[in-house]
């Protein structure tokens, strides 16, 4: 009897790599702009008061989040009915590239952009980023048929690699040298502001290949108004079809709440650290480099924990770790560790992070980075475990929809609490509340056990 040779694994096609590279080009907009360089500069230098700075950043997220929540679900359904995605994605990418580059003009002396302009641009970029993600994700099946998981994984790997390279480049080219590359003026915070053009350039460069080689969806013969009407009808049907799946819907509700808290912790971590400890670009870049390593560890940790205790228990442990770490972070600042007074004397001879409060803050931040990343992986696994295989596509549609609906919630709460109580710490108390509410709802979800337990 003839034996068949094992089939060699398929290689990712060029279109799959192009799709992954586009995703990789978007990630520096989060790492360089939102978390570690530009936004902390806005919150602590451009707006001299860090409390008002945190509130201003949250205000931008609030307005952008409202627009995304109100438009993104219908936009996605409309694109499905209309057909082509690439013309829309090209327009959004061009706008996002241009608006990101304008961050260079946010000079600290007020000679360029005003704070109102920066908030408006940041809110616009929140919307454009979400739209680009929506349109790009809808091209994945055509870009990498049968290899979607591989393209998605490679995209995250490439994105982290490009972001780390960008962080290192900014650190060694502009921050550490006494005379920065291109003669940038440190007194005008040009090493911070250059992150805008760098992120914009990476996005433009990494997007070209997608538009050249990724196949677009064909036009489905509908006018745009007809596609909008049919898209709205599809959204109603999507929600209606999910009725009867009590535990899956309950989980999506829990995830809708706690996911917003997790995103806020990541996006506002640089702003918070810059305000509480007075960290500037060098400290924040170093923080970003180390945190990225712990995020990778968290991804592997999530997969391992899922297998050991099941995704529901894993998610409960991960959210619990984030809550405890965040409570500790709010009680750690200069002269204080976990709400107890301590000395600010250096504990070792290093250029950065030399006091006990800073080291404890770093440790708690690393716990957050690992646990938040692991929770993303466990959340996807929960959906798979809670719904029949033939319904997975529909529920992942609801999964994406639920994420868009609360895009605004955490920034709104952070802005309100920060301004109401006048401290950065108070601004994060509602975020802990979101995590606790999501964790409580998760406790009522039945299912999500280990596969071995499920088979018994």
């Amino acid at each position: 009897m003839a034996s068949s040779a094992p089939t060699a694994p398929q290689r990712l096609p060029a279109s799959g790599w192009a799709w992954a590279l586009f995703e990789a080009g978007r990630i520096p907009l989060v790492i360089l702009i939102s978390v570690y360089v530009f936004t902390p500069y806005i919150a602590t230098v451009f707006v001299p008061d860090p409390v008002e700075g945190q509130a201003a950043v949250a205000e931008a997220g609030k307005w952008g989040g409202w627009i995304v929540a109100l438009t993104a679900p219908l936009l996605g359904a409309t694109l499905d009915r209309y057909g082509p995605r690439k013309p829309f994605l090209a327009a959004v990418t061009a706008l996002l590239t241009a608006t990101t580059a304008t961050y260079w003009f946010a000079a600290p002396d007020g000679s360029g952009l005003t704070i109102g302009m920066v908030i408006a641009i940041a809110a616009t970029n929140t919307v454009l980023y979400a739209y680009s993600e929506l349109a790009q994700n809808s091209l994945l099946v055509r870009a990498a048929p049968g290899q979607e998981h591989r393209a998605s994984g490679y995209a995250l790997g490439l994105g982290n690699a490009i972001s780390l390279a960008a962080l290192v480049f900014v650190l060694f080219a502009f921050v550490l040298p006494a005379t920065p590359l291109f003669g940038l003026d440190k007194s005008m915070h040009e090493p911070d502001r250059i992150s805008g053009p760098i992120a914009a350039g990476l996005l433009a460069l990494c997007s070209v290949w997608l538009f050249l080689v990724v196949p677009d969806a064909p036009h489905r013969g509908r006018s745009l108004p007809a596609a909008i009407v049919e898209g709205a009808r599809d959204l109603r049907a999507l929600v209606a079809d999910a009725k009867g799946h009590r535990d899956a819907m309950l989980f999506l509700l829990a995830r809708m709440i706690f996911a917003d808290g997790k995103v806020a912790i990541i996006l506002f971590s640089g702003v918070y650290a810059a305000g509480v400890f007075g960290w500037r670009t060098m400290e924040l870049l170093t923080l970003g480099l180390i945190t990225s390593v712990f995020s990778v560890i968290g991804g592997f940790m999530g997969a391992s924990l899922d297998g050991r205790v099941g995704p529901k228990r894993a998610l409960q442990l991960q959210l619990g770790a984030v809550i405890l770490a965040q409570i500790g972070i709010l009680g750690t600042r200069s002269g204080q560790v976990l709400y107890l007074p301590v000395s600010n004397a250096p504990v070792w001879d290093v250029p950065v992070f030399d006091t006990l409060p800073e080291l404890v803050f770093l440790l708690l931040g690393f716990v957050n980075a690992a646990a938040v990343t692991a929770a993303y992986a466990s959340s996807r696994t929960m959906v798979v475990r809670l719904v029949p295989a033939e319904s997975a596509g529909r529920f992942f549609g609801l999964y994406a929809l639920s994420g868009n609906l609360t895009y605004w919630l955490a920034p709104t709460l952070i802005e309100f609490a920060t301004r109401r109580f006048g401290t950065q710490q108070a601004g994060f108390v509602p975020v802990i509340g979101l995590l606790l509410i999501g964790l409580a709802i998760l406790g009522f979800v039945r299912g999500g056990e280990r596969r071995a337990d499920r088979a018994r």
Side-chain angles (χ1 to χ4, degrees):
M1 183 173 63
S3 60
S4 59
T7 304
Q10 288 181 303
R11 280 197 272 181
L12 191 66
S15 57
W17 281 108
W19 184 95
L21 185 62
F22 181 92
E23 169 73 9
R26 291 190 320 118
I27 292 177
L29 273 72
V30 177
I31 301 300
L32 275 180
I33 301 299
S34 298
V35 182
Y36 294 117
V37 182
F38 183 77
T39 299
Y41 155 70
I42 291 297
T44 57
V45 176
F46 194 78
V47 180
D49 177 6
V51 173
E52 181 58 31
Q54 178 172 290
V57 170
E59 183 180 2
K62 175 188 70 176
W63 290 116
W66 271 114
I67 296 172
V68 171
L70 293 172
T71 61
L74 180 57
L75 173 62
T78 299
L79 287 175
D80 285 343
R81 284 291 181 175
Y82 187 72
R85 274 76 160 167
K86 286 168 68 173
F88 174 78
L89 182 58
V92 167
T93 302
L95 285 172
L96 184 56
T97 301
T99 52
T100 302
T102 63
Y103 285 143
W104 167 256
F105 300 104
D109 62 0
S111 60
L113 300 176
T114 66
I115 183 57
M117 293 176 183
V118 172
I119 290 175
I121 294 170
T124 300
N125 279 5
T126 297
V127 177
L128 293 174
Y129 190 92
Y131 284 178
S132 69
E133 183 176 30
L134 185 154
Q136 182 217 355
N137 284 344
S138 69
L139 288 170
L140 178 55
V141 174
R142 294 181 175 276
Q147 298 286 306
E148 294 90 348
H149 64 291
R150 193 169 291 174
S152 182
Y154 290 169
L156 292 174
L158 279 171
N160 282 323
I162 290 174
S163 296
L164 283 172
L167 288 172
V168 170
F169 175 71
V170 171
L171 181 64
F172 286 95
F174 303 119
V175 177
L176 291 179
T179 303
L181 189 65
F182 308 132
L184 296 188
D185 186 350
K186 288 188 176 183
S187 68
M188 290 295 289
H189 289 270
E190 290 182 346
D192 297 304
R193 293 154 51 200
I194 195 68
S195 60
I198 289 174
L202 288 172
L203 175 61
L205 183 65
C206 293
S207 68
V208 173
W209 199 16
L210 178 144
F211 295 109
L212 292 176
V213 304
V214 173
D216 203 354
H219 198 289
R220 301 188 65 179
R222 293 168 176 82
S223 66
L224 184 58
I228 294 173
V229 171
E230 293 183 16
R233 195 177 301 139
D234 289 343
L235 281 178
R236 288 195 298 268
L238 181 67
V239 176
D241 287 347
K243 292 178 180 177
H245 295 273
R246 177 255 187 200
D247 292 300
M249 295 299 289
L250 199 58
F251 171 69
L252 289 178
L253 174 62
R255 183 256 175 189
M256 182 170 66
I257 296 171
F258 69 65
D260 215 40
K262 291 189 304 175
V263 171
I265 285 174
I266 295 300
L267 291 182
F268 284 84
S269 60
V271 170
Y272 184 83
V276 171
F277 285 106
W279 289 349
R280 292 297 180 254
T281 309
M282 184 172 72
E283 291 89 349
L284 292 172
L285 287 171
T286 306
L287 173 66
L289 291 171
I290 304 173
T291 299
S292 297
V293 175
F294 280 85
S295 295
V296 173
I297 294 172
F300 288 107
M301 181 182 74
S304 174
L305 201 57
D306 281 3
R308 290 176 179 272
V309 301
K312 177 183 174 180
R313 182 61 57 82
L315 197 49
Q316 289 172 321
L317 292 172
Q318 291 150 5
L319 290 176
V322 174
I323 291 167
L324 291 176
Q326 194 62 29
I327 290 173
I329 283 174
L330 297 188
T332 301
R333 57 183 177 177
S334 181
Q336 186 181 82
V337 169
L338 302 178
Y339 304 92
L340 300 174
V342 298
S343 169
N344 269 334
V347 295
W348 59 343
D349 186 17
V350 291
V352 293
F353 314 138
D354 60 348
T355 69
L356 181 61
E358 289 177 307
L359 292 174
V360 173
F361 185 94
L362 285 177
L363 177 61
L364 294 171
F366 298 155
V367 171
N368 262 350
V372 165
T373 304
Y376 278 114
S378 297
S379 294
R380 286 194 295 265
T381 308
M382 270 293 286
V383 175
V384 174
R385 297 288 177 86
L386 291 173
V387 302
E390 63 273 13
S391 302
R394 181 162 68 246
F395 277 93
F396 272 111
L398 285 173
Y399 185 88
L401 175 62
S402 66
N404 286 328
L405 287 176
T406 54
Y407 225 80
W408 54 274
L409 183 56
T412 301
L413 293 174
I414 290 174
E415 181 199 7
F416 170 78
T418 302
R419 287 199 162 122
R420 175 66 178 81
F421 298 102
T423 69
Q424 288 186 271
Q425 289 84 353
F428 274 86
V429 172
V431 173
I432 296 174
L434 291 176
L435 295 171
L436 286 168
I437 293 170
L439 180 59
I441 297 173
L442 181 62
F444 293 97
V445 176
R446 298 170 303 197
E449 65 275 5
R450 294 186 307 162
R451 287 195 182 277
D453 294 336
R454 190 178 183 182
R456 289 175 186 170

